[in-house]
Amino acid sequence: MHYRSATQTHPAQPSNQDSAPQPTYDFLANVSPGEECMSLQSSHTGVIYDISFDSQRRRLATCSADQTVFIWSMDQSGQWVRDSTIREHGGTAWKVTWANPKFGQMLATCSFDNKRARVFEAVPGDNTDTGRKRWVPVNSFEDILSKPVTDIKFAPPHLGLVLGMCSVDGYLRLIGAESNPKTWKELTHINIKHSSLSCIAFSESTRDRNFVAVGAESVGIDDTHSDSAVKAHSYFNMFSLDVKSGDRARSKNFSLSPLDDPKLHIEHPVKTCSFAPVVGRSFQLLAIGSTSVIVFNIKTSAVVSRTSLQYPPNFNHQHVCIWRLTWNITGSQVVASTSHGNVFVWRLVDSGKWDIVACQSKPVVPNIEKLLSDKGTQSA
């Protein structure tokens, strides 16, 4: 489990000082358990919006408001070294995600420019910045996307090479490559009306039903009821993802069906959502981040329970928003970072109860590897 954060290390210079050095933005990365976190000088000149580790946790990608994506690798001594730079964006690089290595060395990004989302593939050749690996764009989906994409995720590998995207116009899209990673097509889409979507997550279970969860930054008013029952649309939606064999060999048909359950209605903006690793469970856990962390217990296609995790008693949670969520490898602990710079860790104990086991209110990120150790933790 890795915690990541972006911090501005130098104040921005006034715009009239053209010769002044631009601010650089560093980030914190894990090292071996029992050691302190290290701050890496990224050389990004804009805010770092996202950091993503590959499946082996030996490489990571950072994307920034400076329109670049940096690729980092861990060397033999455990140090993070930047080995590639992607300069294909014409606007802020917003999110980055890695494909499963069974599909090759591939990552995807979304950004605020006319290339809404892109897939990149590593190819032999020197990178002009570092003399190492070079990443080339494979597809930018210009014929499919018309509005900015706010989040992008690869689906679990058992579904194939599939990308999920959500955008400001309320569209959730699944785009896939069946045989050639350079040839992509839209598999299915759904329009969540009156919503500006913000985040997307795929369930990981290979034995239970497949689910896709999406959060929204803003929603409209649901006017389908009488005036006495007018209410805002939910800031969160979840869909069952059905996959069936297609007419052609190796082809698949994808469809999305909404889960209509009152427990899923969220009344405040949702900025992050994440499914827990399954690890042999007969149910799935989903955490969403709004004004607090809410955990759903899902079995088959029913929401069994909904639990709002409690902050420490002395914590002033007014105007707090959860920005990032991540799980430990067993799915028994969830970590949340807030808009106020706090980090909280909750642990699942007996009878589905969640206890807060660690909190950090300083601007320095704690050793999450140590916090997430499962010593003495009861099996979920």
Side-chain angles (χ1 to χ4, degrees):
M1 184 65 60
H2 303 260
Y3 176 80
R4 58 269 194 187
S5 174
T7 58
Q8 180 176 349
T9 57
H10 304 290
Q13 302 295 328
S15 58
N16 59 353
Q17 296 181 357
D18 295 335
S19 60
Q22 296 186 28
T24 59
Y25 294 75
D26 301 344
F27 62 94
L28 302 170
N30 79 300
V31 287
S32 300
E35 299 182 11
E36 296 296 327
C37 291
M38 64 175 67
S39 176
L40 303 184
Q41 297 182 356
S42 73
S43 300
H44 278 299
T45 58
V47 172
I48 300 172
Y49 279 108
D50 195 23
I51 294 177
S52 178
F53 288 85
D54 71 355
S55 61
Q56 304 299 318
R57 301 299 192 260
R58 301 291 300 182
R59 293 184 300 176
L60 62 87
T62 61
C63 59
S64 169
D66 63 10
Q67 305 178 12
T68 63
V69 177
F70 292 167
I71 312 299
W72 304 75
S73 298
M74 184 181 288
D75 62 17
Q76 297 287 342
S77 63
Q79 300 295 314
W80 290 100
V81 179
R82 179 161 63 98
D83 62 10
S84 300
T85 302
I86 298 175
R87 300 184 183 277
E88 296 288 335
H89 295 289
T92 295
W94 181 237
K95 294 290 181 67
V96 59
T97 182
W98 293 85
N100 188 280
K102 70 178 289 185
F103 301 114
Q105 299 186 59
M106 191 177 301
L107 57 80
T109 63
C110 59
S111 60
F112 290 153
D113 58 10
N114 60 340
K115 309 284 188 180
R116 312 297 184 187
R118 293 183 180 183
V119 173
F120 296 90
E121 188 175 22
V123 299
D126 290 342
N127 182 278
T128 56
D129 287 339
T130 63
R132 300 192 181 187
K133 196 160 293 182
R134 187 164 58 94
W135 293 80
V136 297
V138 174
N139 202 320
S140 60
F141 313 108
E142 293 179 75
D143 56 333
I144 299 174
L145 304 172
S146 60
K147 297 292 183 180
V149 174
T150 53
D151 198 9
I152 187 169
K153 291 287 191 305
F154 280 101
H158 68 269
L159 295 177
L161 185 54
V162 176
L163 264 175
M165 306 178 189
C166 62
S167 55
V168 297
D169 58 358
Y171 274 92
L172 165 63
R173 290 182 172 89
L174 301 185
I175 301 174
E178 290 183 356
S179 56
N180 185 350
K182 295 184 178 181
T183 304
W184 296 72
K185 69 173 184 178
E186 185 175 277
L187 303 174
T188 186
H189 71 264
I190 192 166
N191 183 13
I192 306 171
K193 296 181 179 180
H194 314 294
S195 299
S196 176
L197 303 182
S198 58
C199 56
I200 181 174
F202 287 92
S203 62
E204 299 182 3
S205 175
T206 57
R207 295 184 298 177
D208 199 355
R209 299 189 69 172
N210 301 299
F211 296 105
V212 184
V214 287
E217 190 83 42
S218 63
V219 297
I221 299 297
D222 186 352
D223 56 3
T224 59
H225 303 278
S226 63
D227 292 341
S228 60
V230 168
K231 62 179 182 179
H233 289 275
S234 175
Y235 285 88
F236 176 75
N237 290 271
M238 191 160 70
F239 301 88
S240 174
L241 175 59
D242 298 315
V243 184
K244 298 179 180 179
S245 299
D247 297 333
R248 295 179 292 107
R250 300 176 61 184
S251 67
K252 298 178 181 179
N253 294 327
F254 290 74
S255 62
L256 293 165
S257 303
L259 268 65
D260 187 13
D261 192 313
K263 297 188 189 72
L264 295 173
H265 187 86
I266 304 297
E267 298 179 350
H268 300 282
V270 173
K271 293 184 178 293
T272 179
C273 55
S274 178
F275 280 92
V278 177
V279 198
R281 290 192 186 96
S282 61
F283 57 91
Q284 302 191 59
L285 293 175
L286 166 67
I288 69 167
S290 183
T291 55
S292 63
V293 178
I294 301 172
V295 177
F296 296 101
N297 181 324
I298 305 162
K299 191 168 185 178
T300 312
S301 58
V303 180
V304 178
S305 65
R306 165 178 169 163
T307 306
S308 294
L309 306 192
Q310 300 299 309
Y311 290 114
N314 59 346
F315 177 67
N316 183 5
H317 58 273
Q318 289 187 345
H319 310 299
V320 167
C321 180
I322 303 298
W323 280 91
R324 290 290 186 272
L325 287 170
T326 189
W327 294 84
N328 68 338
I329 195 170
T330 62
S332 60
Q333 297 184 32
V334 62
V335 183
S337 61
T338 75
S339 54
H340 287 28
N342 310 98
V343 178
F344 298 104
V345 183
W346 289 271
R347 176 182 296 168
L348 179 62
V349 293
D350 287 340
S351 304
K353 181 182 177 183
W354 291 86
D355 286 347
I356 188 163
V357 295
C359 59
Q360 176 70 44
S361 59
K362 298 179 181 179
V364 177
V365 177
N367 188 338
I368 297 300
E369 290 279 357
K370 185 176 181 181
L371 294 176
L372 288 178
S373 64
D374 271 334
K375 295 179 180 179
T377 304
Q378 300 185 28
S379 177

